[in-house]
Amino acid sequence: MAAQFGRRLRKGAATTAVAAVAVAALSASQAPGVNDHGRQAAADATPSPEASASDGSATGNSPYYTDLPPLKSPNPSPSTGPAPGGAGATEAGIPATVLDAYKKAEATLREAKPGCNLPWQLLAAIGRVESGQARGGRVDADGTTIKKILGPQLDGNGFALIKDTDDGAYDGNSSYDQAVGPMQFIPSTWAWAGRDGNGDGKKDPNNIYDAALAAGHYLCRNDWDLSRQSELDRAILSYNNSRDYLNLVMRWLDYYRKGTHEVPDGTGTLPDNRSDDGAGASPTPTVPGTTTPAGSTPGPGPKPDKPGKPDKPAGGGTTTPKPPTTPPGTPSTPPTTPTDTVDHLEDAGTAKLTAMAGDTFGRRISTRAETEAGKSVAKVRVRFTIVGDTDTTFTGGEDVATVATNSSGVAVAPALRAGEKTGTVTVRATVVGRAVPGLDYKATVTERAADALARTGDAALTCAPGGTFANQVEVKATYKGAVADGVAATATLIKSAADPAAADKGPYFKSADGKPVRALTGLKTDAKGLLKLPELYADDTTGTFLLRVTTAGGATLTVELTVAAAETSTPAPSASPSA
């Protein structure tokens, strides 16, 4: 699911250009490398041309630190202390708690989403660029930053415009959102992407364990495989929508893959340069009339303009400055955004949503944002939330997805993946940052089904009275020609083809306590669609009997069983003596 958040930042042109030239120079100076898995190093690979940046990002496209890694590779050290001197030694050191958080997040994602192939070095690269590894590892024993790390308020003044979505709960700002914590999540993203990485029962964006795990899940959504360059590009661009950001993160990723080491918390290298051309220690926000929340550490923020020199007239004196047209201290009126014009949401032709348990829904939810006059609105973030008691998720395992409307005002949710719980699932569409009524969609999850059953063997099923059938019955279930796994089935020894009731004599199964059982329920096909029935026994009744196997979906198979006494040979009559 592609999370969309706000407009692209208007970066400082000078800094962006310098960063781009520096990255290009670094690319030329370092030969392409090969990592331990034989793949081309991420930083040396050319970003895939088809990787397109989204309209928004996890960070709201907040500023980031543009410091580049050293030209020379780091010198890895097995010790837990600082590495020996030399080029790259300082930059390669990652504070111990921060490094532990990255590695634990990788281990968790390896189990939860093995197809993502998330390397912890990617989290380290993003953490370096977003906050300088939690401001050099200034965290407490639980991984929470000593002071809050906040980006500038996203008020449209040189940055994206994202009005408050959390009532100031995370960033202390009830007017506009700000990026929060060591991985710089904006509150509207954290609301659905937040995770509890240290097991304390809380999801805190200021905690490096929580933030690292959340970043890992965010990068692994949409079933992206980060071992593929094109999907790695998309994931990084979705975090911060900037080609310069992508190139920079990949440089740090390649650098960390070549070697890192632990340094004590609080002794990490602090970055200096930012993409907004501001100083790393400048206060944030710097908009007149606003203050930095108490106990917070400034993150990347806007740099105040330098005062201009007065113009000199031809006569040589200075001109009198013109009085401001707006009285000092008067708050500026924020520009109207597309979100401000949305009056309601409309269904955009979503078809009936039905899928069997375990399958992906063939149809997707489409929602259109409209003005009061019914005009569609583009570039509006629509949040899709799966509500209620269900294990159905979007592809990627998330229960929330945020998507920006396209030029037609339509947001298409990621595909739904049905869980094992059957019944009706509700998906609610809402507008992020706008209080308009939500729009509910109903999706139906049906039980797994099969439309065909067949025996896997053709050996005759025969038995002598009182004996055990030599061969067990095994069947294979399919649905529309494909393997039908996890399908519920029953097996019944019936009275006759016309009477499906359970027989009271003839072959039987045995219960756990050894008693005859002629009907089995609660059976399920395995991952290959196979169902092998328990052994069958025969009582003293001889004849032909029927075993009927049925599944959800209506598939039925009837199998003949024969119980017959063993044939005995009759001795030939002796020849009469001759007369």
Side-chain angles (χ1 to χ4, degrees):
M1 50 191 146
Q4 311 290 340
F5 298 100
R7 302 173 181 173
R8 289 198 59 179
L9 290 178
R10 297 193 294 275
K11 308 289 186 185
T15 299
T16 302
V18 170
V21 170
V23 171
L26 186 58
S27 300
S29 67
Q30 291 179 314
V34 176
N35 63 24
D36 294 339
H37 302 288
R39 297 193 305 272
Q40 186 178 10
D44 297 311
T46 301
S48 303
E50 70 273 17
S52 59
S54 61
D55 288 335
S57 67
T59 66
N61 289 332
S62 293
Y64 53 89
Y65 291 104
T66 59
D67 299 50
L68 291 166
L71 293 177
K72 293 184 179 181
S73 299
N75 182 19
S77 169
S79 68
T80 57
T90 302
E91 289 81 359
I94 299 177
T97 299
V98 178
L99 180 59
D100 184 56
Y102 295 149
K103 291 185 176 181
K104 284 188 175 179
E106 179 199 53
T108 300
L109 268 297
R110 188 186 303 123
E111 181 177 348
K113 296 182 179 180
C116 177
N117 295 305
L118 172 81
W120 67 261
Q121 291 91 342
L122 175 58
L123 297 176
I126 290 176
R128 168 71 191 198
V129 171
E130 290 295 346
S131 69
Q133 311 297 17
R135 301 295 294 162
R138 285 161 175 78
V139 296
D140 63 20
D142 296 323
T144 301
T145 56
I146 302 300
K147 295 183 178 179
K148 287 185 178 181
I149 302 174
L150 297 174
Q153 66 176 14
L154 301 174
D155 57 2
N157 184 19
F159 303 100
L161 174 57
I162 303 179
K163 294 184 179 180
D164 176 60
T165 61
D166 67 329
D167 198 25
Y170 295 121
D171 53 18
N173 190 336
S174 58
S175 298
Y176 300 96
D177 272 353
Q178 294 176 243
V180 182
M183 303 304 278
Q184 288 289 279
F185 278 97
I186 55 174
S188 56
T189 309
W190 186 261
W192 62 267
R195 293 292 189 280
D196 177 14
N198 60 354
D200 64 357
K202 297 184 295 183
K203 300 176 183 178
D204 182 2
N206 300 294
N207 182 278
I208 185 59
Y209 287 99
D210 294 359
L213 184 58
H217 275 280
Y218 185 89
L219 294 164
C220 286
R221 71 198 193 287
N222 295 332
D223 286 335
W224 280 328
D225 178 356
L226 303 187
S227 66
R228 298 176 181 272
Q229 186 65 50
S230 61
E231 296 181 24
L232 175 63
D233 291 351
R234 290 190 180 95
I236 296 172
L237 285 170
S238 78
Y239 207 90
N240 193 310
N241 179 11
S242 164
R243 279 284 170 175
D244 293 333
Y245 181 88
L246 167 63
N247 292 333
L248 182 61
V249 168
M250 289 202 303
R251 280 292 155 201
W252 280 106
L253 169 60
D254 184 45
Y255 182 76
Y256 285 138
R257 273 176 165 163
K258 292 176 181 176
T260 58
H261 57 274
E262 275 186 15
V263 297
D265 289 345
T267 64
T269 304
L270 296 178
D272 294 319
N273 304 302
R274 283 203 313 269
S275 60
D276 65 330
D277 207 13
S282 65
T284 181
T286 58
V287 180
T290 62
T291 58
T292 301
S296 66
T297 298
K303 183 178 182 179
D305 294 333
K306 295 180 180 179
K309 295 182 179 179
D311 295 331
K312 292 184 177 181
T318 59
T319 60
T320 302
K322 294 182 179 180
T325 57
T326 304
T330 301
S332 59
T333 303
T336 300
T337 67
T339 301
D340 294 327
T341 68
V342 176
D343 176 74
H344 59 273
L345 295 175
E346 288 286 344
D347 176 43
T350 303
K352 185 178 181 181
L353 299 167
T354 303
M356 288 194 303
D359 288 352
T360 299
F361 284 76
R363 306 281 186 173
R364 296 166 70 179
I365 295 172
S366 297
T367 301
R368 183 170 52 255
E370 296 184 354
T371 64
E372 186 176 5
K375 183 179 179 181
S376 60
V377 186
K379 296 185 178 180
V380 171
R381 290 173 294 145
V382 176
R383 179 174 296 146
F384 298 94
T385 306
I386 301 172
V387 298
D389 182 17
T390 179
D391 55 354
T392 292
T393 65
F394 293 110
T395 51
E398 309 292 348
D399 57 9
V400 179
T402 304
V403 183
T405 57
N406 59 21
S407 58
S408 300
V410 176
V412 181
L416 285 167
R417 180 172 295 165
E420 295 303 319
K421 293 182 180 180
T422 59
T424 301
V425 176
T426 299
V427 180
R428 181 165 299 149
T430 56
V431 178
V432 177
R434 180 75 169 164
V436 298
L439 185 61
D440 284 356
Y441 293 85
K442 301 296 182 182
T444 303
V445 179
T446 62
E447 62 181 330
R448 294 171 182 257
D451 56 14
L453 281 172
R455 281 190 66 194
T456 58
D458 56 5
L461 298 166
T462 61
C463 180
T468 304
F469 284 82
N471 299 304
Q472 288 178 251
V473 178
E474 184 181 66
V475 299
K476 182 174 183 177
T478 55
Y479 183 78
K480 295 182 179 180
V483 167
D485 62 310
V487 176
T490 61
T492 308
L493 292 149
I494 59 177
K495 290 183 177 180
S496 67
D499 187 355
D504 52 9
K505 59 182 179 179
Y508 59 92
F509 300 106
K510 283 185 178 180
S511 64
D513 56 2
K515 295 181 179 179
V517 175
R518 292 187 171 88
L520 297 177
T521 59
L523 306 173
K524 278 193 176 182
T525 59
D526 64 14
K528 297 180 180 179
L530 299 176
L531 173 61
K532 191 169 187 178
L533 298 180
E535 282 187 317
L536 279 163
Y537 304 89
D539 59 13
D540 294 334
T541 309
T542 59
T544 300
F545 303 90
L546 300 178
L547 169 65
R548 181 162 292 172
V549 182
T550 60
T551 67
T556 302
L557 176 67
T558 302
V559 180
E560 284 193 356
L561 307 172
T562 302
V563 179
E567 293 184 4
T568 57
S569 57
T570 304
S574 58
S576 57
S578 58

